[in-house]
Structure formats: C-alpha cells, structure tokens
Amino acid sequence: MTSTPHLTALQRDGFVVIPSLLTADEIAHYRTTATHATTLTRTGKWPHFRTVPKQFPPWPTTPPPASEGGIWGVQHLLHPEMPGRSEFAKFYFSEKVLAVAEELLGLTSNTNTNGDTPEPLVMELFNLLVAPETKDFELRWHRDDIPETATPEEELKMLQDKSPNGKQSHAQYNLALCEDSSLIVIPGSHRRVRTEVERNAAPYEPELPGQLVVQLKPGDAVFYDSNILHRGVYKCKEEGGEETRLTLHGSLGLNAPSEDKKVRATAVLQHGVGAWVHREDAAFGIGERPEKMRANLVAMGSGEGVGYSLQG
C-alpha cells in the first residue's frame, strides 16, 4: 500500500483511472449543463470550439456543417460569458479534483491557501469533448507537447525536460458524463522514446503493441501524462440526436519557478485562455483559492507569440 496510490499508478503507467469521482446526482446535473453548452455551440451561439477534421489549434472560427462532422469540442468552459460557467467552476475548483491534482503534482493536501502562502496550483484549461455529428473522427497517435518529427535523442530530451525526475508540471484529466471509450494509450510510453514500430506506424494505426482502450463509466475520471503516446477515436452521434459523448477535459498546473513556467506556457496559452482570464468579470466569486489560481494563470501572460505545440 502507498499513501499516494494515484501518483504511483501515474508514474508507472502514464495514466490512472479514478472511478466514481462524481455521484449519480452530480453526473445528471453536469450532463444537463454540458448538454446545454454543446447545443449552444452546435447552433452557432458559442464561438469557441474544436472542429472536425482539425486535431490541434488554432481552430476555425466557423464550425463546419453537421454533414461534415461539425464540432468535437467546446472550448473555454470558464470563460465569463459561458452559460453555465458557475457550475463548471464548482467542479473545476472542487476539493475532489484539487486533491487528486495535488497528489499527482507531489503536493501535500492543503499546502496552500492560508494567509499569504503562495498558491501552488495554476488554473489552466477546462473544455468539453463531444461526439462529432454524422461521421466518425479520429486523432492521430501523438504526444501533446512533443512533435512526431523529433529524433529519438530530441524526444528523450523533451520527455526529460517536461517531466524532470518523473515529476509533472501539470495534472490533465478526462471526466466522463456518458460512457466513454475514446482514449487509447500505450502504458509506460511517457517514460521512453518511441519504438521503431511506433515511430514507423501510420498516423491512425488502429492497433499498436501494448495499446489499451481506457474505459470510463459516467462519473469516472482518467488523469494522464499528456506526453504518453495516445490517440482518440470518436464515434459520431445522430445529427440532432441525444449527446452520446460529454467528457470534461481539464488541466491544472504547478506554480513552478518562473523559468520552469516556459515549459508549460505554450501548451496552455495556445488555446487562447490568456485573452480573457485577466478580465474583471472573470472573477469566480466562490472563494479565495480560485482567484489565486486564476492570478497564477494571468501571470503566465497573454499568449501572444507563444506559438503552437503541434500542427494539424
């Protein structure tokens, strides 16, 4: 037994599934909130989204029609103009989520918020992953912040730089509100360069040695190292039909020394969060800790000129 079972699993496998992070009532509540946000986005009433067939930012400003797949994600759930923002914030800043993030980032519980103690966590990203309409959509094999063109030497150096001594600078998760088997990972690949088979595989290779489909029931979460070798397979929904995938996709960062923040700045700010997080109306009004975490994100910058981690 270990006092940090989630961290042990994450460091060993590159991911850890946490069952029943939400209660049945919470699942129903957030599914309603997420469905509303998705409907607004599909109908052109929310302007921040991920579009088929594009995998990485920047995304178009106009969603493709449902006949071409439409959207596969809703961006900026914590934006001050997002309907349902207060409910999304209650989840993102909930003790049950922050406690897992603290463990995975090597923090002791409640290392944080009394008096003038610096807040150790950074508010990062909170989005929603949804099913495309009318046609399936797949993400190619990738690591979130290491290009597939990297040589083995470059790949190893970047893996070590982004997780020095196996320590992550952020905690990233998917929380399923519907049954979800979209994430495919190769356990252990977060600590090594790609094998020759992996390096030479087709971008959408359906079967690689050792791959595992992460099965989530409603209310389950998977926290994973963003540089584990992984991809996504998203089954489409019927146009205009009930939402078949509603997965909260978030990340929280470690408030590291300023020189270490550069490692994380592009991955976070490339999504455009720096354009609104500093606004006066971006305050959450649900306690001191969310405001400290937001201030830590503001300190990372606006995102201008940081570029993009991956292309495509």
Side-chain angles (χ1 to χ4, degrees):
M1 297 293 291
T2 171
S3 60
T4 56
H6 301 138
L7 178 58
T8 298
L10 180 77
Q11 291 188 329
R12 180 189 64 235
D13 300 325
F15 71 100
V16 55
V17 174
I18 302 175
S20 304
L21 194 63
L22 294 182
T23 66
D25 287 345
E26 289 171 329
I27 293 166
H29 172 69
Y30 286 113
R31 186 181 290 170
T32 297
T33 306
T35 297
H36 181 57
T38 305
T39 300
L40 290 175
T41 308
R42 291 196 193 280
T43 56
K45 297 173 183 175
W46 180 248
H48 306 292
F49 38 71
R50 302 183 180 193
T51 58
V52 175
K54 207 167 187 311
Q55 179 164 348
F56 306 115
W59 282 283
T61 55
T62 303
S67 60
E68 296 178 9
I71 65 168
W72 63 276
V74 179
Q75 299 284 88
H76 302 310
L77 299 185
L78 299 180
H79 191 292
E81 296 168 25
M82 162 57 74
R85 182 214 199 204
S86 61
E87 297 308 307
F88 289 129
K90 288 176 185 176
F91 172 80
Y92 183 86
F93 295 108
S94 66
E95 182 56 36
K96 63 177 70 181
V97 172
L98 298 187
V100 176
E102 287 171 343
E103 178 186 335
L104 298 182
L105 294 173
L107 300 170
T108 28
S109 186
N110 299 320
T111 313
N112 40 61
T113 54
N114 295 324
D116 296 325
T117 304
E119 168 57 51
L121 294 180
V122 182
M123 170 187 153
E124 288 193 347
L125 304 172
F126 197 34
N127 305 310
L128 177 64
L129 305 179
V130 302
E133 290 187 281
T134 71
K135 58 174 58 179
D136 297 344
F137 174 57
E138 298 184 11
L139 305 183
R140 69 178 189 255
W141 286 105
H142 67 286
R143 307 184 193 270
D144 281 359
D145 204 24
I146 298 176
E148 67 271 16
T149 54
T151 66
E153 294 76 18
E154 291 169 338
E155 189 174 13
L156 180 61
K157 184 178 187 305
M158 284 188 276
L159 284 170
Q160 292 172 340
D161 287 347
K162 294 174 190 303
S163 297
N165 299 314
K167 185 178 177 65
Q168 281 198 295
S169 62
H170 67 288
Q172 179 167 306
Y173 62 87
N174 289 351
L175 184 287
L177 299 172
C178 306
E179 289 200 12
D180 193 327
S181 57
S182 301
L183 178 64
I184 305 173
V185 300
I186 299 184
S189 59
H190 62 308
R191 291 287 180 263
R192 59 164 177 79
V193 299
R194 285 166 291 171
T195 65
E196 283 303 306
V197 170
E198 292 164 353
R199 185 172 290 275
N200 295 320
Y204 301 95
E205 176 62 48
E207 190 78 34
L208 281 178
Q211 75 175 42
L212 181 147
V213 179
V214 179
Q215 303 281 354
L216 300 178
K217 295 179 180 179
D220 293 352
V222 57
F223 283 74
Y224 61 100
D225 187 310
S226 61
N227 282 316
I228 193 172
L229 195 58
H230 66 287
R231 77 185 195 104
V233 176
Y234 304 147
K235 296 297 183 182
C236 69
K237 64 180 281 291
E238 181 181 345
E239 184 176 356
E242 183 179 351
E243 295 297 336
T244 55
R245 186 189 191 210
L246 295 166
T247 296
L248 297 172
H249 178 56
S251 67
L252 301 108
L254 183 65
N255 191 22
S258 57
E259 62 271 16
D260 296 334
K261 290 179 183 176
K262 296 176 183 177
V263 175
R264 193 67 190 142
T266 296
V268 175
L269 298 176
Q270 66 179 334
H271 290 271
V273 64
W276 54 263
V277 69
H278 62 283
R279 287 169 34 172
E280 288 188 13
D281 62 349
F284 293 102
I286 54 174
E288 185 178 6
R289 191 166 194 195
E291 296 313 313
K292 288 183 176 181
M293 291 174 62
R294 183 171 71 94
N296 287 342
L297 175 55
V298 171
M300 289 179 69
S302 67
E304 295 182 11
V306 298
Y308 298 94
S309 296
L310 300 174
Q311 302 296 320

